[in-house]
């Protein structure tokens, strides 16, 4: 990914739409950067969004807390991880019940039933390939690429 949002410059919207996804559970780092940008873009594309609080983090507590507050007020449901897991269980059980109601063959919970939900974890380049101090000092990275480095 080439920007803070997992949507910008990627085929993600088309992929999600093609799969019939309507809900995203987003986690990753940094809460105030990549996660927030992805959440805002997800809402702009009309997805329902949840952010499990235990699945996001930031460099400092203040921007982390402010970003969570802002996302919860405007763009997403900031929830406990347990609530997100319960949601997966409920939606899976509902889909199994719906499949059982429409077929003569018994459907068990072990049968994979597609759900309109996907987990998106924005990844920053520094997570993919650790950067060296040499890269920073040689000018290969722009100013502010790694705050506090």
């Amino acid at each position: 990914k080439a920007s803070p949002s997992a949507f910008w410059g990627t085929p993600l919207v088309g992929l999600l739409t093609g799969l019939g996804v309507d809900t995203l559970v987003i986690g990753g780092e940094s809460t105030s950067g990549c996660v927030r940008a992805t959440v805002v873009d997800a809402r702009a594309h009309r997805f329902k969004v949840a952010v499990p609080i235990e699945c996001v983090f930031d460099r400092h507590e203040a921007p982390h807390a402010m970003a969570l507050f802002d996302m919860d007020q405007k763009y997403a449901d900031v929830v406990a991880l347990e609530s997100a897991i319960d949601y997966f269980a409920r939606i899976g059980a509902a889909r199994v019940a719906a499949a059982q109601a429409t077929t003569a063959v018994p459907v068990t919970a072990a049968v994979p039933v597609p759900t309109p939900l996907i987990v998106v974890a924005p990844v920053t380049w520094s997570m993919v390939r650790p950067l060296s101090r040499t890269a920073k000092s040689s000018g290969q990275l722009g100013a502010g690429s790694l705050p506090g480095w």
Side-chain angles (χ1 to χ4, degrees):
K1 111 183 151 58
S3 79
S5 172
F7 289 93
W8 193 88
T10 72
L12 187 56
V13 173
L15 175 67
L16 297 174
T17 303
L19 291 171
V21 172
D22 69 354
T23 304
L24 303 176
V25 177
I26 299 176
E29 70 93 27
S30 94
T31 310
S32 63
C34 296
V35 173
R36 186 181 182 285
T38 300
V39 166
V40 171
D41 282 356
R43 287 298 300 146
H45 290 290
R46 304 291 188 227
F47 292 104
K48 297 175 217 155
V49 181
V51 177
I53 197 164
E54 296 91 342
C55 298
V56 293
F57 65 98
D58 213 319
R59 295 175 303 243
H60 301 288
E61 283 187 44
H64 175 71
M66 287 184 280
L68 287 173
F69 176 81
D70 183 57
M71 288 186 288
D72 192 49
Q73 294 296 306
K74 299 176 189 173
Y75 308 110
D77 292 320
V78 176
V79 298
L81 178 58
E82 186 174 324
S83 295
I85 291 169
D86 289 345
Y87 176 78
F88 283 115
R90 282 194 318 275
I91 197 169
R95 293 204 173 255
V96 167
Q100 287 175 333
T102 60
T103 182
V105 178
V107 178
T108 67
V111 174
V113 181
T115 62
L117 183 127
I118 196 162
V119 177
V120 176
V123 177
T124 62
W125 184 248
S126 62
M127 291 172 65
V128 176
R129 184 186 68 154
L131 299 170
S132 68
R133 291 183 188 269
T134 307
K136 177 69 173 171
S137 63
S138 68
Q140 293 174 351
L141 300 173
S145 295
L146 293 173
W149 182 280

